[in-house]
Amino acid sequence: MPQPGSRGVEYSEILYNGIVPPDPFPPVRDQPWSTDELPYYITSPPPVIRIDVGRQLFVDDFLIESMPRLTRSYHRPEPFEGNPVLSPRDEDFHVRIDNAEFTILTKLAMPFSDGVWWDTQAQKFRAWYLGGPNSLRLAESSDGVNWARIQSGGVVMSIPDQRDSGTVWIDAADPDPGRRYKMSFFSFKDKRNWLYVSADGIDWPDYPSPVARSAYYSSNRDAPTGDRTTFLYNPFRRKWVWSLRDLRDRRAYGGLEYHRMRRYWEGDDLFDASALLEQSGFWIEADVQDLEGAGPPNRPQLTIPQVYNVDGFAYESIMIFGLTILSSNAWEDRIKGDAFPKRNEVYLAFSRDGFYMTRPSGADRQPFVAIGEPDSWNEGNVQTVGAGCVVMGEPESEILRFFYSGRKNDLLDDGSLLREGHLGCGTLRRDGFASIEAGVREGQLTTRPLRFDHGDGFLFVNADTVDGNLRVEVLDEDGQVIPGFERDRCLPIQLDSTRHAVRWDDRESLGFLSRGTFRLRFLLRSGSLFSFWVSPTRAGASEGYLAAGGPGYERYVDASPPDTSSVPPERPTRIDSMQISPNPMGASSTIRYDLAHQGHVVISIHDAAGRTVRTLWDAAQPPGKHTLRFERGDLAAGVYFCRVQTERGAEVAKVVVVGPE
């Protein structure tokens, strides 16, 4: 399965930022989990957070030790003005039901989860979707908004026995190219989820010959798979995950007898998983805040909201889940001439272990994608699309494009009900799920202890500080500012960019901190900070995951080739390559260090404020191992820093001086 980035970072070393999941995992629960409960990794974060992989997003409190005078804001995508981008045509009648009272016509051209991807193999946007009659269809696009169906009206599989929701996943890491595209859908023929594979996403096996079929559907916990069941891949855990629709009796709590919630199953192989769904456990259900955050009611609400579906994807360093929340059932009032689809809206949840999630609360609990106005193409039943989002744009101004489906009901003059399904999209700033905000008074965000293992490291931020500024300080593991990385030496950031390098005077690399522990302090005024990350190259690649990919990316990770600029890169350095003994020191210590290249060397001692108090060496030296005597002299007891500077980089180590002068 895919590894983060392209530099051999070991999976076991970067699992969820240093989080150790509980044992057993996934947890065995006697009831679904609600987001009223904070995850263990928030209440008891790891002592050091690993940031080797991906941009670090401020969607929760995981990274933050303190942030006085700052606030967090959550953001929603801006709907595309030309929505919907894909609509049903006359040949897309999906179902015709002759009811005793009236006729229901269904006309669909929408992913029912399914998948919208930037296909790195085809070099096109591709949308697999539910179309009619009873088929899996495929449309392609060069820009994500202008779509054209492929040959034969886009039909890539005819399913005469009627399909419901499904998932299409591009598994670029499968060693068998014939299994690169994986697909499942719920079949009403035998109430099971059927799975298929394809080499190109177009040529699928003839129906009804699935590679595998899931357990039978039932409303009890012994066989939990149902008609709104989907799957996803968690690259951090290297697990295929089934998001299973199940029903729960909530009448004792004021709910309906059949109350939708989710069950969870994970496995090493998707097709083995399809045979083992009976081993799933409780996952998540909605809470009362989901009614408070729902859009303005234009139909009767449920007493208790329900989780209609959960889709998920890996984005940068976290898992993001789209929760489709049901707050009102469909309503056809023939006397009033009203016909509204179900009020399903999409809410986001963020996870750092793939099971437990955090969600905005209070006034921030708003739909990420809400229903539209009455009579609009998305007046109801807005639902997630598999694979999440694509990344687009120039490196300094990238966006995320989200796709979602919406539905519309019409009562026709002949008394029949026409139900239509469409595909729409919206745009969000890259990493723009949440931001840290500062007013005119400067605020400070200090991270928890961090670590990265890149040989070199360049700090980047995604920020909008056009009307203010942002500076960054680098702190040691004890919270003291490292000399040379003070706020006054940081070049102020006053721009709007989704990828901007942070520099301190003539310094730009944090390579000397590799495999060490440090903190970052962001000093923000009149601006927004969306994310930060430490890149192994000056190009700024995050080595994180990119959901459904995007133009300009060869893989589904943000990886770039090694730095080939004409500027000599700083030598990968580590604190442990320089030793000071004894430390703490009394009258004197010996400094031992290793030079990879011949060059000019400056060895200096700095106090806790960063001031130079002693220069021990300032001359050329050959490569190899060296020692230098450090006499205390008149230095007072306290904390100091020893800095070994060459043309290629620097190393800094803390020295504690004890006893009288």
Side-chain angles (χ1 to χ4, degrees):
M1 296 302 173
Q3 291 290 315
S6 58
R7 291 171 172 78
V9 177
E10 289 296 328
Y11 158 80
S12 60
E13 294 179 353
I14 55 86
L15 177 62
Y16 282 100
N17 304 92
I19 293 172
V20 178
D23 187 21
F25 191 90
V28 178
R29 301 181 60 91
D30 59 3
Q31 61 182 348
W33 173 69
S34 170
T35 49
D36 289 337
E37 175 186 346
L38 280 176
Y40 64 94
Y41 55 77
I42 296 292
T43 57
S44 300
V48 179
I49 297 173
R50 300 294 298 272
I51 60 170
D52 300 272
V53 174
R55 299 182 180 208
Q56 306 299 312
L57 278 62
F58 297 109
V59 294
D60 56 22
D61 292 334
F62 177 68
L63 295 158
I64 301 171
E65 183 175 89
S66 64
M67 51 177 235
R69 298 184 297 279
L70 298 172
T71 59
R72 180 188 288 111
S73 295
Y74 290 93
H75 308 285
R76 297 186 285 180
E78 184 70 25
F80 176 61
E81 291 185 1
N83 275 336
V85 295
L86 186 65
S87 295
R89 303 191 303 207
D90 289 342
E91 65 266 31
D92 288 318
F93 279 108
H94 179 55
V95 178
R96 180 184 179 96
I97 302 175
D98 291 316
N99 187 289
E101 298 180 2
F102 58 94
T103 299
I104 300 177
L105 306 173
T106 304
K107 192 176 179 182
L108 304 176
M110 62 169 206
F112 200 8
S113 279
D114 291 289
V116 180
W117 293 76
W118 170 258
D119 191 330
T120 59
Q121 180 171 277
Q123 288 292 294
K124 298 176 182 177
F125 289 95
R126 282 181 152 183
W128 287 267
Y129 63 94
L130 171 61
N134 302 331
S135 63
L136 172 69
R137 298 196 179 213
L138 173 61
E140 296 180 336
S141 171
S142 60
D143 59 8
V145 296
N146 296 290
W147 293 88
R149 305 174 190 219
I150 67 167
Q151 73 276 3
S152 304
V155 176
V156 293
M157 182 183 288
S158 180
I159 309 168
D161 294 309
Q162 189 177 347
R163 59 153 286 191
D164 199 71
S165 71
T167 305
V168 176
W169 203 269
I170 299 180
D171 182 10
D174 195 310
D176 183 349
R179 296 160 61 99
R180 176 185 173 92
Y181 300 82
K182 295 175 170 60
M183 183 260 289
S184 79
F185 61 79
F186 180 81
S187 172
F188 284 104
K189 180 178 182 179
D190 66 354
K191 302 294 191 293
R192 293 204 256 178
N193 284 277
W194 294 19
L195 292 98
Y196 295 81
V197 295
S198 169
D200 59 6
I202 299 175
D203 184 16
W204 299 88
D206 292 336
Y207 180 86
S209 303
V211 173
R213 289 187 291 180
S214 70
Y216 284 102
Y217 165 70
S218 172
S219 62
N220 62 59
R221 65 181 298 165
D222 295 326
T225 180
D227 61 341
R228 195 64 180 96
T229 286
T230 58
F231 72 83
L232 60 107
Y233 183 66
N234 181 334
F236 300 100
R237 290 184 55 76
R238 296 185 186 176
K239 299 290 185 182
W240 291 99
V241 174
W242 282 95
S243 170
L244 303 164
R245 180 258 205 181
D246 198 10
L247 303 174
R248 190 179 184 208
D249 190 342
R250 290 296 303 269
R251 286 173 293 183
Y253 305 94
L256 301 175
E257 177 180 1
Y258 297 110
H259 181 89
R260 294 175 179 86
M261 43 76 67
R262 305 305 283 186
R263 297 177 70 87
Y264 178 101
W265 193 96
E266 68 174 33
D268 296 328
D269 185 272
L270 177 65
F271 303 104
D272 286 346
S274 68
L276 297 172
L277 296 181
E278 296 92 337
Q279 299 178 12
S280 67
F282 282 123
W283 193 8
I284 189 171
E285 66 180 353
D287 59 48
V288 67
Q289 289 189 63
D290 291 315
L291 283 184
E292 297 170 356
N298 52 17
R299 67 212 79 169
Q301 284 190 324
L302 298 177
T303 305
I304 298 177
Q306 304 179 25
V307 176
Y308 201 89
N309 182 55
V310 176
D311 282 324
F313 56 95
Y315 178 77
E316 292 294 347
S317 58
I318 61 175
M319 292 295 294
I320 298 180
F321 292 97
L323 279 59
T324 300
I325 301 294
L326 176 71
S327 59
S328 176
N329 278 317
W331 179 34
E332 289 105 21
D333 190 326
R334 309 190 69 73
I335 296 176
K336 293 183 178 180
D338 292 331
F340 293 111
K342 301 170 184 175
R343 185 197 289 155
N344 272 312
E345 297 175 293
V346 177
Y347 293 74
L348 286 194
F350 308 97
S351 178
R352 296 181 185 272
D353 74 358
F355 184 88
Y356 289 103
M357 310 174 194
T358 57
R359 300 176 60 193
S361 60
D364 291 325
R365 178 70 64 84
Q366 298 292 326
F368 186 69
V369 181
I371 61 173
E373 296 296 324
D375 296 323
S376 64
W377 70 273
N378 60 338
E379 66 174 355
N381 216 347
V382 170
Q383 303 229 12
T384 54
V385 169
C389 61
V390 294
V391 182
M392 303 179 62
E394 296 299 319
E396 292 78 24
S397 56
E398 285 182 315
I399 63 167
L400 302 179
R401 177 154 287 153
F402 284 87
F403 296 90
Y404 50 91
S405 64
R407 303 196 208 180
K408 181 181 188 300
N409 282 359
D410 282 319
L411 290 173
L412 304 182
D413 292 340
D414 63 3
S416 60
L417 174 68
L418 174 63
R419 302 188 299 191
E420 293 184 348
H422 306 254
L423 172 66
C425 68
T427 58
L428 185 73
R429 179 194 186 96
R430 182 164 182 183
D431 311 335
F433 304 99
S435 61
I436 300 301
E437 302 288 332
V440 293
R441 188 182 179 192
E442 182 181 272
Q444 298 182 3
L445 186 154
T446 304
T447 69
R448 301 186 191 278
L450 308 173
R451 170 178 167 164
F452 67 91
D453 281 10
H454 302 314
D456 211 337
F458 300 90
L459 181 63
F460 283 80
V461 294
N462 179 343
D464 180 1
T465 55
V466 170
D467 298 321
N469 64 64
L470 171 67
R471 297 174 189 261
V472 186
E473 291 183 323
V474 184
L475 316 180
D476 66 14
E477 57 186 327
D478 295 326
Q480 300 298 314
V481 179
I482 296 175
F485 293 90
E486 302 90 347
R487 62 171 298 156
D488 292 340
R489 297 193 178 187
C490 181
L491 304 183
I493 299 169
Q494 296 176 297
L495 46 71
D496 184 0
S497 175
T498 58
R499 182 184 303 188
H500 184 75
V502 182
R503 292 180 172 84
W504 295 263
D505 291 339
D506 59 344
R507 299 299 307 281
E508 58 177 333
S509 173
L510 300 181
F512 70 95
L513 291 171
S514 178
R515 297 175 177 85
T517 301
F518 66 99
R519 289 178 171 88
L520 295 173
R521 179 179 292 149
F522 297 93
L523 304 122
L524 180 65
R525 180 179 62 80
S526 298
S528 306
L529 175 63
F530 295 88
S531 65
F532 73 93
W533 66 102
V534 175
S535 173
T537 73
R538 288 182 174 84
S542 70
E543 307 293 303
Y545 294 100
L546 295 178
Y553 293 97
E554 298 179 358
R555 300 163 56 203
Y556 295 100
V557 291
D558 182 4
S560 62
D563 189 1
T564 58
S565 69
S566 59
V567 179
E570 295 187 13
R571 178 172 66 91
T573 57
R574 293 193 294 272
I575 293 295
D576 59 14
S577 67
M578 176 174 63
Q579 298 179 351
I580 302 176
S581 179
N583 190 8
M585 65 173 284
S588 65
S589 283
T590 299
I591 303 170
R592 295 179 175 86
Y593 54 98
D594 185 7
L595 296 179
H597 307 275
Q598 178 175 330
H600 193 90
V601 179
V602 177
I603 302 176
S604 50
I605 304 298
H606 303 259
D607 64 16
R611 296 182 292 260
T612 302
V613 297
R614 188 83 56 79
T615 298
L616 306 179
W617 184 271
D618 188 354
Q621 283 189 318
K625 298 182 182 297
H626 299 269
T627 61
L628 183 67
R629 191 75 170 170
F630 172 23
E631 299 289 347
R632 171 182 176 173
D634 59 355
L635 289 182
V639 175
Y640 296 86
F641 294 89
C642 177
R643 178 186 180 91
V644 178
Q645 174 78 55
T646 73
E647 297 96 330
R648 294 174 176 266
E651 295 185 9
V652 178
K654 183 168 67 174
V655 184
V656 179
V657 177
V658 295
E661 297 178 16

